[in-house]
Amino acid sequence: MQPQDTAGVQYSRWNDSSQDEVSVSTTPTATSKWNRIYNLLCTGKCGIAVKVMCGMALFWVIFIIGYLTGYYVHKCK
């Protein structure tokens, strides 16, 4: 079999000797800046804390928008 340049799995079946061959090749992946930020902020205990803080912030934004909307809709003239 030829060596592969890309990562992946290649399956080939030899008809004459009834053998199956599975080849797995991997390439080292370069971790980009965005993957590092994602891994830092979205996984593990830090990820849970970030999600809780974002949820609380979203709750207060929706609460304030609802309060202001209700105030102006039901305001006495």
Side-chain angles (χ1 to χ4, degrees), residues 7-68:
V9 176
Q10 183 176 8
Y11 174 80
S12 66
R13 172 171 243 155
W14 298 348
N15 290 331
D16 55 348
S17 64
S18 69
Q19 285 184 325
D20 293 342
E21 181 179 329
V22 177
S23 170
V24 179
S25 63
T26 59
T27 58
T29 57
T31 305
S32 70
K33 179 174 93 173
W34 299 112
N35 285 342
R36 285 187 298 240
I37 292 171
Y38 172 81
N39 287 336
L40 177 68
L41 295 179
C42 299
T43 60
K45 291 182 180 182
C46 183
I48 293 171
V50 168
K51 290 173 188 175
V52 168
M53 295 299 288
C54 288
M56 290 175 57
L58 183 63
F59 168 79
W60 283 109
V61 167
I62 292 172
F63 180 82
I64 291 170
I65 290 171
Y67 182 83
L68 293 175

